[in-house]
Amino acid sequence: MSQRKKIIAANWKMYKDLAESNDFFTFFIENLQDTKAEILIAPSFTNLWHAFDATREYPIEIVAQNMHESEEGAFTGEVSAKMLKSIGIERVILGHSERREYFAETDRILSEKVRTALANEIKIIFCIGEKLEDRKDGDHFKLVESQLRNGLFHLNAKQWESVVIAYEPVWAIGTGETASPEQAQEMHQFIRKTIADKYSNEVSDNVSILYGGSVKPANAKDLFAQPDIDGALVGGASLEVESFIDIISAL
Ligand SMILES: O=C[C@H](O)COP(=O)(O)O
């Protein structure tokens, strides 16, 4: 019987200064209802400590949006796993398409980030997803499989207990063009089978696979009704307390 977790994660990207972040958490905590979902929120680095401190007593996990693959060094502007752990952060988003696109994060760099995170006992939300041209060419399964293999298939079965996958078709991110529940389910099922073929059904059945890409209160319920969709990684709709709570309530 699968014990995989239901997760609603917020990726704030480069939005909210400290005052806006603090205001969000004050209102969010006041209005949060009981939910079976694990709630994860990823603010920017400058807000991480305050967010962690404000939510210590609540069922809300604060997550980093990135980290460097080296333990430490002359990497101006970067943040290490050790620094994140020192402020209580125990999970990081890696492989987001915006990091791959704008910061040239290759599969090799991402596999190194994965190694460093796990070596520092930091759990991972690993993002994979095809571009529109991949899908139009019928290459979306091949692309997603290569991201999965190159980023994560160096892990042993036990290490997968620290991994959550986020399938985020690039063409759905920030566009309002959400994948249909059927499209998302088809890819989630493929991802789970690819993991099962490499490892085992036991490993794949326990990996939470989140959908990301224009998740809104209006489409969340139909997405979450799919058997292999275990929650969402939400961008824009997580910036407002009301819409984020509505998405959580849809699970
Ligand atoms: O990490 C979140 C994804 O990029 C989705 O963003 P979005 O909900 O604004 O489309």
Side-chain angles (χ1 to χ4, degrees):
M1 177 66 182
S2 165
Q3 286 89 32
R4 66 177 181 258
K5 296 181 172 65
K6 297 291 184 184
I7 298 171
I8 302 293
N11 175 10
W12 285 358
K13 304 186 182 181
M14 193 174 78
Y15 291 100
K16 294 190 189 297
D17 64 16
L18 181 59
E20 290 163 334
S21 177
N22 291 344
D23 288 348
F24 177 97
F25 283 107
T26 301
F27 189 48
F28 184 63
I29 288 166
E30 281 172 6
N31 292 276
L32 185 60
Q33 290 112 28
D34 284 346
T35 172
K36 62 187 175 204
E38 287 196 5
I39 300 168
L40 280 47
I41 298 179
S44 290
F45 286 134
T46 53
N47 299 331
L48 272 181
W49 164 248
H50 281 269
F52 175 79
D53 198 36
T55 56
R56 283 176 192 271
E57 311 297 324
Y58 299 93
I60 302 164
E61 181 183 347
I62 302 303
V63 175
Q65 293 181 25
N66 183 36
M67 54 162 263
H68 197 270
E69 59 273 23
S70 298
E71 292 294 347
E72 60 184 13
F75 304 105
T76 302
E78 289 293 333
V79 171
S80 71
K82 187 178 162 193
M83 293 170 183
L84 294 176
K85 286 294 285 288
S86 72
I87 60 167
I89 303 303
E90 298 191 337
R91 198 185 311 253
V92 64
I93 297 172
L94 294 177
H96 193 282
S97 59
E98 291 152 4
R99 299 293 311 174
R100 294 173 189 261
E101 179 78 16
Y102 305 133
F103 302 94
E105 293 196 356
T106 61
D107 284 341
R108 184 193 61 74
I109 290 171
L110 289 167
S111 69
E112 288 307 310
K113 290 193 175 199
V114 166
R115 287 178 204 278
T116 304
L118 296 181
N120 286 274
E121 296 181 349
I122 289 183
K123 293 177 279 195
I124 295 159
I125 300 174
F126 195 77
C127 302
I128 53 181
E130 80 281 358
K131 293 181 179 174
L132 188 57
E133 53 268 31
D134 299 314
R135 183 169 280 266
K136 283 182 174 173
D137 294 346
D139 292 336
H140 47 306
F141 292 110
K142 187 169 72 175
L143 188 279
V144 164
E145 180 172 353
S146 73
Q147 290 177 328
L148 201 52
R149 287 185 181 285
N150 296 334
L152 294 172
F153 279 15
H154 54 86
L155 300 186
N156 63 41
K158 177 78 176 154
Q159 289 174 310
W160 272 86
E161 293 174 7
S162 301
V163 176
V164 168
I165 297 286
Y167 166 59
E168 299 203 313
V170 180
W171 47 272
I173 296 175
T175 61
E177 288 293 315
T178 317
S180 70
E182 295 71 25
Q183 285 175 320
Q185 167 57 27
E186 184 186 39
M187 185 58 82
H188 280 226
Q189 192 174 47
F190 171 79
I191 291 165
R192 199 174 304 286
K193 183 179 181 309
T194 303
I195 296 168
D197 291 348
K198 165 72 176 173
Y199 294 91
S200 69
N201 288 334
E202 185 186 359
V203 168
S204 68
D205 283 350
N206 286 301
V207 176
S208 299
I209 307 176
L210 313 183
Y211 169 77
S214 296
V215 174
K216 309 294 180 196
N219 58 37
K221 202 166 190 67
D222 289 343
L223 286 163
F224 299 158
Q226 300 300 316
D228 287 295
I229 298 180
D230 304 309
L233 179 53
V234 186
S238 71
L239 296 169
E240 297 301 327
V241 171
E242 298 84 351
S243 54
F244 191 50
I245 284 180
D246 286 346
I247 291 170
I248 292 167
S249 306
L251 196 61

